């Protein structure tokens, strides 16, 4: 089978590798779609934490089930996706029903080789039925689940003002699921085109450019002087995270979905006086994946809105670097394998 490997930062190589042979309690998927996410882009740049080279990237995946062992209810030939976080099932996190932050976590395409290849073998327990969704839609379940998990971590309540910082794919999904939870969503980004996308495509009611001189005043005006009771960072940008402390209501929750390499550094008195709650949000759980699929089927989310670029698998090596340039307006690139 043909495989695309990120051999070193900035370098991809195609090669012929062996098709996997079915192992006990595993399944083999013929990959049809590969969504490109920030993790892939950062790995290509050499800025992704917890990463080693060479690595086959790709964890936003969908495909056709061609072999399966150890699980009932799945049919050969059906469209599937899967949960790409391979947990140990034994550590303290797994025992506390938090497999998304397993101590020995192996994320497909990060810690172990991912889906930029024609066939991929995964643990059967991670499989999810396609539920009649298209391959494009199924490849977008995972990034949307990341946002859904962050919203669930924040315990967003109807009527709350939720500020989502970063209008990339993860931030956009976070906005969608905050809306589904009943929140009044505020989008904050430095890119006016992204903010326009939030308004036009996602119907987000409030947009603020983070480069404005009066961000705090704008947020105060939107929230009737209260400030947002939930702030969710989807940038992984240290400056954005530091500034976000000033955007929080007293008693607010601050959720970090985005990940940056450095230390967390912010003003302790500003954080402390608010009796703020700080939490991280890592990956997602089966509950989040099921919530996303159910929301897609109900028409509450149209994930194909996010797909701005489509390429064939054979074109990825030549096209990938261009997706790093903000001028090209990439929100979600989707790779097809025939």
């Amino acid at each position: 089978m043909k495989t695309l490997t990120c051999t070193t930062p900035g370098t991809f190589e195609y090669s012929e590798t062996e098709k996997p042979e079915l192992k006990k309690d595993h399944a083999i998927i013929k990959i049809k779609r590969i969504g490109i996410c920030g993790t892939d882009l950062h790995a290509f740049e050499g800025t992704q934490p917890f990463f080693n080279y060479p690595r086959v990237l790709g964890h936003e995946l969908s495909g056709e089930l061609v072999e399966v062992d150890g699980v009932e209810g799945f049919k050969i030939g059906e469209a599937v996706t899967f949960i790409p976080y391979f947990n140990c099932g034994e550590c303290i996190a797994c025992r506390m029903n938090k497999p998304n932050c397993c101590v020995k976590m192996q994320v497909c395409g990060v810690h172990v080789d991912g889906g930029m290849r024609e066939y991929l073998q995964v643990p059967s327990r991670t499989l999810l039925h396609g539920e009649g969704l298209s391959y494009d839609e199924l490849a977008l379940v995972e990034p949307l689940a990341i946002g859904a998990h962050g919203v669930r971590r924040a315990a967003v309540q109807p009527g709350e003002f939720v500020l989502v910082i970063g209008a990339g794919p993860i931030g956009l999904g976070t906005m969608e699921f905050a809306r589904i939870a009943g929140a009044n969503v505020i989008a904050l980004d430095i890119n006016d085109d992204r903010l326009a996308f939030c308004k036009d495509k996602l119907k987000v009611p409030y947009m603020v450019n983070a480069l404005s001189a009066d961000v705090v005043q704008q947020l105060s005006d939107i929230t009737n002087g209260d400030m947002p009771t939930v702030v969710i960072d989807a940038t992984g940008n240290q400056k954005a995270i530091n500034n976000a402390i000033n955007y929080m209501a007293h008693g607010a929750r601050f959720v970090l979905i985005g990940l940056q390499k450095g230390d967390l550094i912010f003003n302790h008195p500003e954080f402390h006086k608010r009796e703020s709650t700080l939490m991280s949000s890592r990956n997602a759980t089966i509950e989040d994946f099921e919530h996303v699929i159910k929301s897609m089927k109900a028409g509450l989310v149209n994930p194909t809105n996010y797909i701005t670029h489509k390429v064939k698998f054979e074109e990825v090596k030549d096209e990938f670097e261009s997706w790093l340039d903000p001028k090209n307006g990439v929100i979600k690139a989707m790779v097809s394998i025939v």
Side-chain angles (χ1 to χ4, degrees), residues 188-191 208-215 239:
L188 181 74
D189 199 278
I190 63 173
N191 186 317
V208 178
N209 190 305
L211 299 179
S212 303
D214 61 343
V215 171
K239 184 177 180 180

Side-chain angles (χ1 to χ4, degrees), residues 162-229:
V162 174
L163 173 64
V164 179
I165 305 173
I170 298 299
L172 296 174
T174 303
M175 294 174 203
E176 297 252 60
F177 283 91
R179 169 183 55 78
I180 289 169
N184 298 305
V185 180
I186 309 167
L188 181 74
D189 199 278
I190 63 173
N191 186 317
D192 283 330
D193 290 337
R194 288 289 181 95
L195 292 173
F197 183 92
C198 294
K199 179 181 179 180
D200 298 338
K201 294 292 188 180
L202 305 189
K203 308 304 179 185
V204 173
Y206 306 103
M207 269 65 59
V208 178
N209 190 305
L211 299 179
S212 303
D214 61 343
V215 171
V216 171
Q217 185 60 52
Q218 289 186 61
L219 292 174
S220 178
D221 292 344
I222 290 168
T223 61
N224 303 310
D226 290 336
M227 302 300 284
T229 50

